[in-house]
Coordinates of all heavy atoms in Angstrom, one line a residue:
M1 N 16.9 -87.1 21.3 CA 17.6 -86.4 22.3 C 17.8 -85.0 21.8 O 18.4 -84.8 20.8 CB 18.9 -87.1 22.6 CG 19.8 -86.5 23.6 SD 21.1 -87.6 24.0 CE 22.4 -86.5 24.3
S2 N 17.4 -84.0 22.6 CA 17.6 -82.7 22.2 C 18.8 -82.1 23.0 O 19.1 -82.4 24.2 CB 16.4 -81.8 22.5 OG 16.1 -81.8 23.9
S3 N 19.5 -81.2 22.3 CA 20.7 -80.6 23.0 C 20.3 -79.2 23.5 O 19.5 -78.5 22.9 CB 21.9 -80.5 22.1 OG 21.5 -79.6 21.0
L4 N 20.9 -78.9 24.7 CA 20.6 -77.6 25.2 C 21.4 -76.5 24.5 O 22.5 -76.8 24.1 CB 21.0 -77.6 26.7 CG 20.2 -78.5 27.6 CD1 20.7 -78.5 29.0 CD2 18.7 -78.1 27.6
P5 N 20.9 -75.3 24.4 CA 21.7 -74.3 23.7 C 23.0 -74.0 24.5 O 22.9 -74.0 25.8 CB 20.8 -73.1 23.6 CG 19.7 -73.4 24.6 CD 19.6 -74.9 24.8
F6 N 24.1 -73.8 23.9 CA 25.3 -73.5 24.6 C 25.6 -72.0 24.4 O 25.7 -71.5 23.3 CB 26.4 -74.3 24.0 CG 27.7 -74.3 24.8 CD1 27.9 -75.1 25.9 CD2 28.7 -73.4 24.4 CE1 29.0 -75.0 26.6 CE2 29.9 -73.3 25.1 CZ 30.0 -74.1 26.3
D7 N 25.8 -71.3 25.5 CA 26.1 -69.9 25.5 C 27.5 -69.7 25.8 O 28.0 -69.7 26.9 CB 25.2 -69.2 26.5 CG 25.2 -67.7 26.4 OD1 26.2 -67.1 25.9 OD2 24.3 -67.0 26.8
W8 N 28.3 -69.4 24.7 CA 29.8 -69.2 24.9 C 30.1 -68.0 25.8 O 31.0 -68.1 26.6 CB 30.4 -69.0 23.5 CG 30.6 -70.2 22.7 CD1 29.8 -70.7 21.7 CD2 31.6 -71.2 22.9 NE1 30.2 -71.9 21.3 CE2 31.4 -72.2 22.0 CE3 32.7 -71.3 23.8 CZ2 32.2 -73.3 21.9 CZ3 33.5 -72.4 23.7 CH2 33.2 -73.4 22.7
I9 N 29.4 -66.9 25.6 CA 29.7 -65.7 26.4 C 29.5 -66.0 27.9 O 30.3 -65.7 28.8 CB 28.8 -64.5 26.0 CG1 29.0 -64.2 24.6 CG2 29.0 -63.3 26.9 CD1 30.4 -63.7 24.3
K10 N 28.4 -66.6 28.3 CA 28.2 -67.0 29.7 C 29.2 -68.0 30.2 O 29.6 -67.9 31.3 CB 26.7 -67.5 29.9 CG 25.7 -66.4 29.8 CD 24.3 -67.0 30.0 CE 23.3 -65.9 29.9 NZ 21.9 -66.4 30.1
Q11 N 29.5 -68.9 29.4 CA 30.5 -69.9 29.8 C 31.9 -69.3 30.0 O 32.5 -69.6 31.0 CB 30.6 -71.0 28.7 CG 31.5 -72.2 29.1 CD 30.9 -73.0 30.3 OE1 29.8 -73.1 30.5 NE2 31.8 -73.5 31.1
I12 N 32.3 -68.5 29.1 CA 33.6 -67.9 29.2 C 33.7 -66.8 30.3 O 34.7 -66.8 31.1 CB 34.1 -67.3 27.9 CG1 34.3 -68.5 26.9 CG2 35.4 -66.5 28.0 CD1 34.4 -68.0 25.5
T13 N 32.7 -66.0 30.5 CA 32.8 -64.9 31.4 C 32.3 -65.3 32.8 O 32.4 -64.5 33.7 CB 32.0 -63.7 30.9 OG1 30.6 -64.1 30.8 CG2 32.5 -63.2 29.6
G14 N 31.7 -66.5 32.9 CA 31.2 -66.9 34.2 C 29.9 -66.3 34.7 O 29.6 -66.2 35.8
M15 N 29.1 -65.8 33.7 CA 27.8 -65.2 34.0 C 26.8 -66.2 34.6 O 25.8 -65.8 35.1 CB 27.3 -64.4 32.8 CG 28.2 -63.2 32.5 SD 27.7 -62.4 30.9 CE 26.1 -61.8 31.3
R16 N 27.0 -67.4 34.4 CA 26.1 -68.4 34.9 C 26.3 -68.7 36.4 O 25.5 -68.4 37.2 CB 26.3 -69.8 34.2 CG 25.7 -69.7 32.8 CD 25.8 -71.1 32.2 NE 25.4 -71.0 30.9 CZ 25.4 -72.0 30.0 NH1 25.8 -73.2 30.4 NH2 25.0 -71.9 28.8
E17 N 27.5 -69.2 36.7 CA 27.8 -69.5 38.1 C 29.3 -69.5 38.2 O 30.0 -69.6 37.2 CB 27.3 -70.8 38.5 CG 27.7 -71.9 37.7 CD 26.9 -73.2 37.8 OE1 25.7 -73.1 37.8 OE2 27.5 -74.3 37.9
E18 N 29.8 -69.2 39.4 CA 31.3 -69.0 39.6 C 32.1 -70.3 39.1 O 33.1 -70.1 38.6 CB 31.6 -68.7 41.0 CG 33.0 -68.2 41.3 CD 33.2 -66.9 40.5 OE1 32.3 -66.0 40.4 OE2 34.4 -66.7 40.1
S19 N 31.5 -71.5 39.3 CA 32.3 -72.7 39.0 C 32.5 -72.9 37.5 O 33.4 -73.6 37.1 CB 31.6 -73.9 39.6 OG 30.3 -74.0 39.0
S20 N 31.6 -72.2 36.7 CA 31.8 -72.5 35.2 C 32.7 -71.4 34.6 O 32.9 -71.5 33.4 CB 30.4 -72.5 34.6 OG 29.9 -71.2 34.6
C21 N 33.1 -70.4 35.3 CA 33.9 -69.4 34.8 C 35.3 -69.9 34.4 O 36.0 -70.5 35.2 CB 34.0 -68.2 35.7 SG 35.0 -66.9 35.1
I22 N 35.7 -69.6 33.2 CA 37.1 -69.9 32.8 C 37.8 -68.6 32.9 O 37.6 -67.6 32.2 CB 37.2 -70.4 31.3 CG1 36.4 -71.7 31.2 CG2 38.6 -70.5 30.9 CD1 36.2 -72.1 29.7
P23 N 38.8 -68.5 33.9 CA 39.4 -67.2 34.1 C 40.2 -66.7 32.9 O 40.9 -67.5 32.2 CB 40.3 -67.4 35.3 CG 40.5 -68.9 35.4 CD 39.3 -69.5 34.7
P24 N 40.2 -65.4 32.6 CA 41.0 -64.9 31.5 C 42.5 -65.0 31.8 O 42.9 -65.1 33.0 CB 40.6 -63.4 31.5 CG 40.1 -63.1 32.8 CD 39.5 -64.4 33.3
D25 N 43.3 -65.2 30.8 CA 44.7 -65.4 31.0 C 45.6 -64.2 30.5 O 46.8 -64.3 30.6 CB 45.2 -66.7 30.4 CG 44.7 -66.9 29.0 OD1 44.2 -65.9 28.4 OD2 44.8 -68.0 28.5
V26 N 45.0 -63.2 30.0 CA 45.7 -62.0 29.6 C 44.9 -60.7 29.9 O 43.6 -60.8 29.8 CB 46.1 -62.0 28.1 CG1 44.9 -62.0 27.2 CG2 47.0 -60.9 27.7
T27 N 45.5 -59.7 30.4 CA 44.9 -58.4 30.7 C 45.6 -57.3 29.9 O 46.8 -57.2 29.9 CB 45.0 -58.1 32.2 OG1 44.4 -59.1 32.9 CG2 44.3 -56.8 32.5
F28 N 44.8 -56.6 29.1 CA 45.3 -55.4 28.4 C 45.0 -54.2 29.2 O 43.9 -54.0 29.7 CB 44.5 -55.3 27.0 CG 44.8 -56.4 26.1 CD1 43.9 -57.4 26.0 CD2 45.9 -56.4 25.3 CE1 44.1 -58.5 25.1 CE2 46.1 -57.4 24.4 CZ 45.3 -58.5 24.3
Q29 N 46.1 -53.5 29.5 CA 46.0 -52.2 30.2 C 46.1 -51.1 29.2 O 47.1 -50.9 28.6 CB 47.1 -52.1 31.3 CG 46.9 -53.0 32.4 CD 48.0 -52.8 33.5 OE1 49.0 -52.3 33.3 NE2 47.6 -53.2 34.7
I30 N 45.0 -50.4 29.1 CA 45.0 -49.2 28.2 C 45.3 -48.0 29.0 O 44.6 -47.6 29.9 CB 43.6 -49.1 27.5 CG1 43.3 -50.3 26.6 CG2 43.6 -47.8 26.6 CD1 42.4 -51.3 27.3
V31 N 46.5 -47.4 28.6 CA 47.0 -46.2 29.4 C 46.7 -45.0 28.5 O 47.1 -44.9 27.4 CB 48.5 -46.3 29.6 CG1 49.0 -45.1 30.4 CG2 48.8 -47.6 30.4
E32 N 45.9 -44.1 29.0 CA 45.5 -42.9 28.2 C 45.6 -41.6 29.1 O 45.4 -41.7 30.3 CB 44.1 -43.0 27.6 CG 43.0 -43.1 28.6 CD 41.6 -43.2 27.9 OE1 41.5 -42.7 26.8 OE2 40.7 -43.7 28.5
E33 N 45.8 -40.5 28.5 CA 45.9 -39.2 29.1 C 44.6 -38.4 28.8 O 44.3 -38.2 27.6 CB 47.1 -38.4 28.7 CG 47.3 -37.1 29.5 CD 48.5 -36.4 29.1 OE1 49.2 -36.8 28.1 OE2 48.8 -35.3 29.7
I34 N 43.9 -38.1 29.8 CA 42.7 -37.3 29.6 C 42.8 -36.0 30.4 O 42.9 -36.0 31.7 CB 41.4 -38.1 30.1 CG1 41.3 -39.4 29.3 CG2 40.2 -37.2 29.9 CD1 40.2 -40.3 29.8
E35 N 42.8 -34.9 29.7 CA 42.9 -33.6 30.3 C 44.1 -33.5 31.3 O 44.0 -33.0 32.5 CB 41.6 -33.2 31.0 CG 40.5 -33.1 30.0 CD 39.1 -32.8 30.7 OE1 39.1 -32.5 31.9 OE2 38.1 -32.8 30.0
G36 N 45.3 -34.0 30.9 CA 46.5 -33.9 31.8 C 46.6 -35.0 32.8 O 47.5 -35.0 33.6
K37 N 45.6 -35.8 33.0 CA 45.6 -36.9 34.0 C 45.7 -38.3 33.3 O 45.0 -38.5 32.3 CB 44.3 -36.8 34.9 CG 44.2 -35.6 35.7 CD 43.0 -35.6 36.5 CE 42.9 -34.3 37.4 NZ 41.7 -34.3 38.2
W38 N 46.5 -39.1 33.9 CA 46.7 -40.5 33.3 C 45.7 -41.4 33.9 O 45.4 -41.4 35.1 CB 48.1 -41.0 33.6 CG 49.1 -40.2 32.8 CD1 49.9 -39.2 33.2 CD2 49.5 -40.4 31.4 NE1 50.7 -38.7 32.2 CE2 50.5 -39.5 31.1 CE3 49.0 -41.3 30.4 CZ2 51.0 -39.4 29.8 CZ3 49.6 -41.2 29.2 CH2 50.6 -40.3 28.9
S39 N 45.2 -42.2 33.1 CA 44.1 -43.2 33.5 C 44.5 -44.6 32.9 O 45.0 -44.7 31.7 CB 42.8 -42.7 32.9 OG 41.8 -43.6 33.3
V40 N 44.2 -45.6 33.6 CA 44.5 -47.0 33.2 C 43.1 -47.7 33.2 O 42.5 -47.8 34.2 CB 45.5 -47.7 34.0 CG1 45.7 -49.1 33.6 CG2 46.8 -47.0 34.0
H41 N 42.8 -48.3 32.0 CA 41.6 -49.1 31.9 C 42.1 -50.5 31.6 O 43.1 -50.7 30.9 CB 40.7 -48.6 30.8 CG 40.3 -47.2 31.0 ND1 39.2 -46.8 31.8 CD2 40.8 -46.0 30.5 CE1 39.1 -45.5 31.7 NE2 40.1 -45.0 31.0
E42 N 41.3 -51.5 32.1 CA 41.7 -52.9 31.8 C 40.6 -53.6 31.0 O 39.4 -53.4 31.2 CB 41.9 -53.7 33.2 CG 43.2 -53.2 33.9 CD 43.6 -54.1 35.0 OE1 42.7 -54.9 35.5 OE2 44.7 -54.0 35.5
A43 N 41.1 -54.5 30.2 CA 40.2 -55.4 29.4 C 40.9 -56.8 29.5 O 42.0 -57.0 29.1 CB 40.1 -55.0 28.0
K44 N 40.1 -57.7 30.1 CA 40.6 -59.1 30.3 C 40.2 -60.0 29.1 O 39.1 -59.7 28.6 CB 40.1 -59.6 31.6 CG 40.7 -58.8 32.8 CD 40.2 -59.4 34.1 CE 40.7 -58.6 35.3 NZ 42.1 -58.6 35.5
A45 N 41.0 -60.9 28.7 CA 40.7 -61.7 27.6 C 41.3 -63.1 27.7 O 42.0 -63.4 28.6 CB 41.2 -61.1 26.3
H46 N 40.9 -64.0 26.8 CA 41.4 -65.3 26.7 C 42.4 -65.4 25.5 O 41.9 -65.2 24.3 CB 40.3 -66.4 26.6 CG 39.4 -66.3 27.7 ND1 39.6 -67.0 28.8 CD2 38.2 -65.6 27.9 CE1 38.6 -66.8 29.7 NE2 37.7 -65.9 29.1
N47 N 43.6 -65.6 25.7 CA 44.6 -65.5 24.6 C 44.3 -66.5 23.4 O 44.5 -66.2 22.3 CB 46.0 -65.5 25.0 CG 46.4 -66.8 25.7 OD1 45.7 -67.8 25.7 ND2 47.6 -66.8 26.3
M48 N 43.8 -67.6 23.8 CA 43.5 -68.6 22.7 C 42.4 -68.1 21.8 O 42.4 -68.3 20.6 CB 43.1 -70.0 23.3 CG 42.9 -71.0 22.3 SD 42.7 -72.6 23.0 CE 40.9 -72.8 22.9
I49 N 41.4 -67.5 22.4 CA 40.2 -67.0 21.6 C 40.6 -65.8 20.7 O 40.3 -65.8 19.5 CB 39.0 -66.6 22.5 CG1 38.5 -67.9 23.1 CG2 38.0 -65.9 21.7 CD1 37.4 -67.7 24.2
I50 N 41.4 -64.9 21.3 CA 41.8 -63.8 20.4 C 42.8 -64.2 19.4 O 42.9 -63.6 18.3 CB 42.2 -62.5 21.2 CG1 43.4 -62.8 22.1 CG2 41.1 -61.9 22.0 CD1 43.9 -61.6 22.9
A51 N 43.6 -65.2 19.7 CA 44.6 -65.7 18.7 C 43.9 -66.4 17.5 O 44.4 -66.4 16.4 CB 45.5 -66.7 19.4
M52 N 42.7 -67.0 17.8 CA 41.9 -67.6 16.7 C 41.4 -66.7 15.7 O 41.2 -67.0 14.5 CB 40.8 -68.5 17.3 CG 41.2 -69.7 18.0 SD 39.8 -70.8 18.4 CE 38.9 -69.9 19.6
V53 N 41.2 -65.4 16.1 CA 40.6 -64.4 15.2 C 41.6 -63.4 14.7 O 41.3 -62.5 13.9 CB 39.4 -63.7 15.8 CG1 38.3 -64.8 16.0 CG2 39.7 -63.0 17.0
S54 N 42.9 -63.4 15.3 CA 43.8 -62.4 14.9 C 45.2 -63.0 14.6 O 45.8 -63.6 15.5 CB 44.0 -61.4 16.1 OG 45.1 -60.6 15.9
P55 N 45.7 -62.9 13.4 CA 47.0 -63.4 13.1 C 48.1 -62.8 14.0 O 49.1 -63.4 14.3 CB 47.2 -63.1 11.6 CG 45.9 -62.9 11.1 CD 45.0 -62.3 12.2
T56 N 48.0 -61.5 14.3 CA 48.9 -60.8 15.1 C 49.0 -61.4 16.5 O 50.1 -61.7 17.0 CB 48.6 -59.3 15.2 OG1 48.6 -58.7 13.9 CG2 49.6 -58.6 16.1
F57 N 47.9 -61.6 17.1 CA 47.9 -62.2 18.5 C 48.3 -63.7 18.4 O 48.9 -64.2 19.3 CB 46.5 -62.1 19.1 CG 46.3 -60.7 19.6 CD1 45.2 -60.0 19.2 CD2 47.1 -60.1 20.6 CE1 44.9 -58.7 19.6 CE2 46.9 -58.8 21.0 CZ 45.8 -58.1 20.5
K58 N 47.9 -64.4 17.3 CA 48.4 -65.8 17.2 C 49.9 -65.9 17.2 O 50.5 -66.7 17.9 CB 47.8 -66.4 15.9 CG 48.2 -67.8 15.7 CD 47.6 -68.4 14.4 CE 48.0 -69.8 14.2 NZ 47.4 -70.3 12.9
T59 N 50.5 -65.0 16.4 CA 52.0 -64.9 16.4 C 52.5 -64.5 17.8 O 53.5 -65.1 18.3 CB 52.5 -63.9 15.3 OG1 52.0 -64.3 14.1 CG2 54.0 -63.8 15.3
M60 N 51.9 -63.5 18.4 CA 52.4 -63.0 19.7 C 52.3 -64.1 20.8 O 53.3 -64.2 21.6 CB 51.5 -61.8 20.1 CG 51.9 -61.1 21.3 SD 50.9 -59.7 21.5 CE 51.3 -59.2 23.1
F61 N 51.2 -64.8 20.8 CA 51.1 -65.8 21.9 C 51.6 -67.2 21.6 O 51.9 -67.9 22.5 CB 49.6 -65.9 22.2 CG 49.0 -64.7 22.9 CD1 47.8 -64.2 22.4 CD2 49.6 -64.0 23.9 CE1 47.2 -63.0 22.9 CE2 49.1 -62.9 24.5 CZ 47.9 -62.4 24.0
Y62 N 51.7 -67.6 20.3 CA 52.0 -69.0 20.0 C 53.2 -69.2 19.1 O 53.7 -70.3 19.0 CB 50.8 -69.7 19.4 CG 49.7 -69.7 20.4 CD1 48.6 -68.9 20.3 CD2 49.7 -70.6 21.5 CE1 47.6 -68.9 21.2 CE2 48.7 -70.7 22.4 CZ 47.6 -69.8 22.3 OH 46.6 -69.8 23.2
A63 N 53.8 -68.2 18.5 CA 54.9 -68.4 17.6 C 56.2 -68.4 18.4 O 56.3 -67.8 19.5 CB 55.0 -67.2 16.6
T64 N 57.2 -69.1 17.9 CA 58.4 -69.3 18.6 C 59.2 -68.0 18.6 O 59.3 -67.3 17.6 CB 59.3 -70.4 18.0 OG1 58.5 -71.5 17.9 CG2 60.5 -70.7 18.8
N65 N 59.8 -67.6 19.7 CA 60.7 -66.4 19.9 C 60.1 -65.1 19.5 O 60.7 -64.2 19.0 CB 62.0 -66.6 19.1 CG 62.8 -67.8 19.6 OD1 62.8 -68.1 20.8 ND2 63.4 -68.6 18.7
V66 N 58.8 -65.0 19.6 CA 58.1 -63.7 19.3 C 57.3 -63.3 20.5 O 56.5 -64.0 21.0 CB 57.1 -63.8 18.1 CG1 56.4 -62.5 17.8 CG2 57.9 -64.2 16.9
G67 N 57.5 -62.1 21.0 CA 56.8 -61.6 22.2 C 57.1 -62.3 23.4 O 58.0 -63.1 23.5
V68 N 56.3 -62.0 24.5 CA 56.5 -62.6 25.8 C 55.3 -63.5 26.0 O 54.2 -63.0 26.4 CB 56.7 -61.6 26.9 CG1 56.9 -62.2 28.2 CG2 57.8 -60.6 26.5
K69 N 55.4 -64.8 25.8 CA 54.3 -65.7 25.9 C 53.8 -65.9 27.3 O 52.6 -66.2 27.5 CB 54.7 -67.0 25.3 CG 54.9 -67.0 23.8 CD 55.4 -68.3 23.3 CE 56.2 -68.1 22.1 NZ 57.2 -67.1 22.1
T70 N 54.6 -65.6 28.3 CA 54.2 -65.9 29.6 C 53.7 -64.6 30.3 O 53.2 -64.6 31.4 CB 55.4 -66.4 30.5 OG1 56.5 -65.4 30.4 CG2 55.9 -67.7 30.0
S71 N 53.7 -63.5 29.6 CA 53.2 -62.2 30.2 C 51.7 -62.3 30.2 O 51.1 -62.6 29.2 CB 53.7 -61.0 29.3 OG 53.1 -59.8 29.8
N72 N 51.2 -61.9 31.3 CA 49.7 -61.9 31.4 C 49.1 -60.5 31.5 O 47.9 -60.3 31.6 CB 49.2 -62.7 32.6 CG 49.8 -62.3 33.9 OD1 50.6 -61.4 34.0 ND2 49.4 -63.0 34.9
V73 N 50.0 -59.4 31.4 CA 49.6 -58.1 31.3 C 50.3 -57.4 30.1 O 51.5 -57.4 30.0 CB 49.9 -57.3 32.6 CG1 49.5 -55.8 32.5 CG2 49.2 -57.9 33.8
I74 N 49.5 -56.8 29.3 CA 50.0 -56.1 28.1 C 49.6 -54.7 28.1 O 48.4 -54.4 28.2 CB 49.5 -56.8 26.8 CG1 50.0 -58.3 26.8 CG2 50.0 -56.0 25.6 CD1 49.4 -59.1 25.7
K75 N 50.5 -53.8 28.2 CA 50.2 -52.3 28.2 C 50.0 -51.8 26.8 O 50.8 -52.1 25.9 CB 51.3 -51.6 28.9 CG 51.3 -51.8 30.4 CD 52.2 -50.8 31.1 CE 52.2 -51.2 32.6 NZ 52.9 -50.2 33.4
I76 N 49.0 -51.0 26.6 CA 48.7 -50.4 25.3 C 48.6 -48.9 25.5 O 47.8 -48.5 26.4 CB 47.4 -51.0 24.7 CG1 47.4 -52.5 24.6 CG2 47.0 -50.3 23.4 CD1 46.1 -53.1 24.1
E77 N 49.4 -48.2 24.8 CA 49.5 -46.7 24.9 C 49.1 -46.1 23.6 O 49.0 -46.8 22.6 CB 50.9 -46.3 25.3 CG 51.3 -46.9 26.7 CD 52.7 -46.6 27.1 OE1 53.5 -46.3 26.2 OE2 53.0 -46.7 28.3
K78 N 48.9 -44.8 23.6 CA 48.6 -44.0 22.4 C 47.3 -44.4 21.8 O 47.1 -44.5 20.6 CB 49.7 -44.0 21.4 CG 51.0 -43.5 22.0 CD 52.1 -43.5 20.9 CE 53.4 -43.0 21.5 NZ 54.5 -43.1 20.6
T79 N 46.3 -44.7 22.6 CA 44.9 -45.0 22.2 C 44.0 -44.6 23.3 O 44.4 -44.1 24.3 CB 44.8 -46.5 21.8 OG1 43.5 -46.6 21.2 CG2 44.9 -47.4 23.0
T80 N 42.7 -44.9 23.1 CA 41.7 -44.6 24.2 C 41.0 -45.8 24.6 O 41.0 -46.8 23.8 CB 40.7 -43.5 23.7 OG1 40.0 -44.1 22.6 CG2 41.4 -42.2 23.2
A81 N 40.4 -45.8 25.7 CA 39.7 -47.0 26.2 C 38.5 -47.4 25.3 O 38.3 -48.5 25.0 CB 39.2 -46.8 27.6
P82 N 37.7 -46.4 24.8 CA 36.6 -46.8 23.9 C 37.1 -47.4 22.6 O 36.4 -48.3 22.0 CB 35.9 -45.4 23.6 CG 36.2 -44.6 24.8 CD 37.6 -45.0 25.2
A83 N 38.3 -47.0 22.1 CA 38.8 -47.5 20.9 C 39.1 -49.0 21.1 O 38.9 -49.8 20.2 CB 40.0 -46.8 20.4

């Protein structure tokens, strides 16, 4: 019995079909000022996946009494969208 290749990116982002998409549960809003104008860029993510690779996010999303675990929008300032 051969197994089919599993594409994590397509599964998570829903690039295959709408029914297989796992919706992101956190949105990072990057707020930056460009030439005197404010701009907001969004990056959507899955908190469990970023918590697996980042001790900071693991603490933020899963540790007791740290951060706002139910918040699904996190504003990030003093950086740029490409960063």
Side-chain angles (χ1 to χ4, degrees):
M1 176 170 150
S2 65
S3 63
L4 297 174
F6 189 83
D7 189 335
W8 282 99
I9 300 298
K10 287 182 182 178
Q11 185 66 30
I12 293 168
T13 61
M15 292 173 64
R16 287 186 186 176
E17 57 197 48
E18 194 61 36
S19 63
S20 69
C21 179
I22 300 170
D25 46 16
V26 64
T27 301
F28 294 96
Q29 289 185 337
I30 298 97
V31 181
E32 64 179 333
E33 184 180 6
I34 302 172
E35 298 178 4
K37 295 181 181 179
W38 291 98
S39 178
V40 177
H41 304 275
E42 289 189 345
K44 297 182 182 291
H46 301 273
N47 62 12
M48 185 171 100
I49 293 174
I50 59 177
M52 286 191 294
V53 297
S54 167
T56 301
F57 286 120
K58 181 179 180 182
T59 300
M60 183 176 172
F61 294 131
Y62 296 103
T64 308
N65 299 324
V66 177
V68 181
K69 292 171 206 50
T70 59
S71 177
N72 56 359
V73 176
I74 299 170
K75 289 190 180 187
I76 301 174
E77 299 175 339
K78 299 181 181 177
T79 189
T80 63

